[in-house]
Amino acid sequence: TSDHTGLLLGISFPRLIYSEQGLREVENKFQVRDDDVFNVTYQKSGTVWMLEILSLIHSNGDPSRCRTVPNWDRGPWYETVLGLQTARSNQPPRLISSHLPIQLFAKSFFQSKAKVLYTVRNPKDVFVSLYHFAQIFRPYKEPGQLDQFLEQFLEGDVPFGSWFDHVKGWMGLRGHENFFWISYEELQQDLRGSVERICRFLGKQLDAQAMDGVVENASFQAMKQNKMSNFSLAPRFLLDQTHSSFLRKGIAGDWKNQLTTAQSENFDRVYREQMQGLELSFPWDEL
Ligand code: A3P
């Protein structure tokens, strides 16, 4: 696979698992149900973590389903060719994951009562996570030198396009009652408190024991040990975890170990340009 990614509907997608027809189908034909719950992120922002949390909330903290069904079947990425089939055939209430920018999301969502949970993460950590991921995820092209890959990331010349556009687009829905956002850093700092907020948004009540089940089984360690959540069942032609892992470090602030001062300052400059004037505050702003 030499030409890995292509522009589909103006955004770069890896050709191995996405098709233009599939993307159009998702945008124009996918029937969103009022009881659908969408787990939306820019890639590497905590998608599979939130997927696990939502699966566990649904099962009242009981991990049986999380330990027997792969996460990509529990919360399929509906914009992939296979994920679309799974999303369509899963029983309601459905949990659906997505990295789509808002302009390519299923149109029928906007007339529905379905819920979106949007997870954001410090973009410097997103970048570092993506840099490592791109080295093991076969549908992506090799990222090459970090410095060069950073330029591409800041210009939005990576799969799913610009982090800035993605976040600005989705965060435009804040204030809507079917939209909830949270950061990776908040999940890190206070998982239990975050799960409580998520439950409130979902209208779901968990007793203390169920809450313990969610928090324990959604921990980095528990997920790393769970074959259904650590992607060890993913076929080799998609993911090769011999040199790095999907669940790599699972910390906030790893960018400090990976970016030079100059790279970090360059990042800050682009960040300020792109995010100026937005009345949004994120946990990483004061860093
Ligand atoms: P790192 O590469 O920084 O370790 P996504 O699911 O959106 O692709 O994001 C993957 C990132 O989320 C990886 O970051 C991964 O380790 C982290 N992650 C997944 N589950 C986690 C958990 N339970 N706790 C902390 N981080 C988690």
Side-chain angles (χ1 to χ4, degrees):
T1 49
S2 56
D3 70 285
H4 288 268
T5 49
L7 279 186
L8 304 173
L9 309 177
I11 299 280
S12 164
F13 288 96
R15 294 180 194 279
L16 198 57
I17 50 176
Y18 297 85
S19 75
E20 178 156 349
Q21 193 208 343
L23 289 168
R24 285 191 196 282
E25 185 121 351
V26 166
E27 186 185 351
N28 300 308
K29 301 219 183 91
F30 187 80
Q31 277 306 315
V32 171
R33 299 173 45 98
D34 284 339
D35 56 0
D36 286 338
V37 171
F38 287 94
N39 167 33
V40 182
T41 57
Y42 185 85
Q43 57 178 335
K44 312 323 288 177
S45 301
T47 325
V48 301
W49 194 3
M50 183 57 81
L51 199 164
E52 206 75 355
I53 292 168
L54 294 171
S55 300
L56 287 160
I57 290 175
H58 183 69
S59 65
N60 292 306
D62 177 349
S64 334
R65 190 150 181 276
C66 285
R67 291 183 187 161
T68 46
V69 182
N71 59 1
W72 60 78
D73 285 333
R74 285 184 264 127
W77 280 251
Y78 82 145
E79 62 267 23
T80 63
V81 174
L82 278 174
L84 179 58
Q85 286 176 22
T86 310
R88 280 185 167 147
S89 55
N90 276 358
Q91 288 303 310
R94 301 180 298 188
L95 170 60
I96 299 173
S97 302
S98 179
H99 296 316
L100 285 177
I102 192 166
Q103 73 274 15
L104 300 182
F105 208 69
K107 288 201 174 107
S108 63
F109 165 72
F110 300 94
Q111 275 88 51
S112 77
K113 294 195 170 70
K115 294 181 169 156
V116 163
L117 295 101
Y118 188 62
T119 310
V120 291
R121 185 182 190 185
N122 184 337
K124 289 180 181 171
D125 284 335
V126 169
F127 166 73
V128 167
S129 183
L130 180 61
Y131 182 63
H132 289 92
F133 182 64
Q135 299 172 36
I136 63 170
F137 189 52
R138 293 280 173 77
Y140 286 6
K141 66 172 184 269
E142 281 282 326
Q145 294 296 314
L146 186 142
D147 213 44
Q148 190 194 341
F149 190 61
L150 180 57
E151 284 309 311
Q152 292 168 12
F153 181 83
L154 293 175
E155 282 166 18
D157 183 16
V158 288
F160 304 103
S162 154
W163 179 89
F164 303 100
D165 291 347
H166 203 280
V167 170
K168 286 186 279 190
W170 279 103
M171 292 299 281
L173 291 188
R174 68 197 189 284
H176 288 230
E177 63 179 347
N178 60 346
F179 180 80
F180 174 90
W181 73 277
I182 194 162
S183 65
Y184 179 94
E185 290 75 14
E186 289 169 286
L187 295 174
Q188 279 282 0
Q189 269 219 328
D190 180 10
L191 184 55
R192 181 176 283 262
S194 300
V195 173
E196 282 166 6
R197 285 178 52 208
I198 294 166
C199 285
R200 236 173 288 141
F201 171 68
L202 294 174
K204 175 98 186 173
Q205 284 200 322
L206 295 186
D207 61 24
Q209 201 190 341
M211 186 60 82
D212 290 341
V214 177
V215 172
E216 279 161 29
N217 292 291
S219 74
F220 186 72
Q221 288 318 323
M223 285 177 59
K224 225 173 146 64
Q225 281 160 21
N226 182 355
K227 285 201 303 290
M228 301 296 158
S229 310
N230 64 15
F231 289 91
S232 55
L233 299 177
R236 270 294 182 91
F237 79 92
L238 285 180
L239 191 69
D240 180 357
Q241 300 198 77
T242 32
H243 299 297
S244 182
S245 308
F246 191 110
L247 298 171
R248 190 183 58 96
K249 282 198 179 174
I251 58 169
D254 191 36
W255 66 268
K256 290 175 191 157
N257 307 315
Q258 314 253 351
L259 301 188
T260 64
T261 307
Q263 287 165 341
S264 168
E265 284 174 1
N266 184 34
F267 205 122
D268 291 338
R269 189 181 50 73
V270 177
Y271 186 91
R272 275 193 300 271
E273 257 168 42
Q274 290 275 349
M275 304 300 274
Q276 66 174 344
L278 286 168
E279 283 175 20
L280 279 172
S281 70
F282 294 112
W284 57 83
D285 283 338
E286 64 273 14
L287 302 177

